[in-house]
Amino acid sequence: MAISLSDTTLRLLDGRNYAVLATVNPDGSPHTSAMWVGRDGGDVLFSTVAGRVKHRNMLHDPRVSVTILDASDPENYVELRGRVSMTPDPGRELDIQLSRKYDGRDPGPDAPGAARVIVRMAVERAAGYAAR
């Protein structure tokens, strides 16, 4: 069941703050990736290319953790846990939106044949200073 996020958490999601995604490898070990994030209401959104390790891991096990660090004060952070769903993003709309948010410009091209995916995380638990 998704939870409501604090105003501080929403500000972290809306800002140019980097996040770290943790997924579970098939052998049970963790895999982490630094990434850009956005949101739709209380859901966390991010983009990936189908076939990458994180994508394969999320297909196998949709449980993830996303930690967002405040760029101006890294001790102000939030860890969000939940489950993801994925949908195709053939127009790279989310990837373009996040690139403009973080870099102020459109992203470079993906490798030929790459298929973008929108990942939507329903947050079930929040912890950390910014969760309050």
Side-chain angles (χ1 to χ4, degrees), residues 35-127:
M35 61 182 195
W36 297 337
V37 293
R39 72 178 175 100
D40 179 16
D43 289 346
V44 177
L45 301 177
F46 54 95
S47 177
T48 190
V49 172
R52 288 187 175 159
V53 171
K54 63 183 159 230
H55 177 254
R56 294 191 314 262
N57 286 350
M58 291 182 293
L59 285 173
H60 179 260
D61 186 342
R63 296 174 301 159
V64 301
S65 171
V66 173
T67 301
I68 305 159
L69 303 167
D70 187 331
S72 63
D73 178 10
E75 291 183 12
N76 183 34
Y77 74 94
V78 67
E79 181 207 6
L80 306 172
R81 293 183 187 182
R83 296 175 188 271
V84 297
S85 59
M86 294 180 276
T87 56
D89 188 9
R92 292 182 70 189
E93 291 177 25
L94 180 60
D95 185 42
I96 292 167
Q97 177 186 351
L98 292 175
S99 183
R100 289 176 180 168
K101 171 184 170 181
Y102 282 86
D103 279 347
R105 61 182 181 195
D106 287 349
D110 278 332
R116 280 273 162 191
V117 177
I118 296 172
V119 183
R120 177 180 295 272
M121 175 187 177
V123 179
E124 299 169 353
R125 182 167 183 246

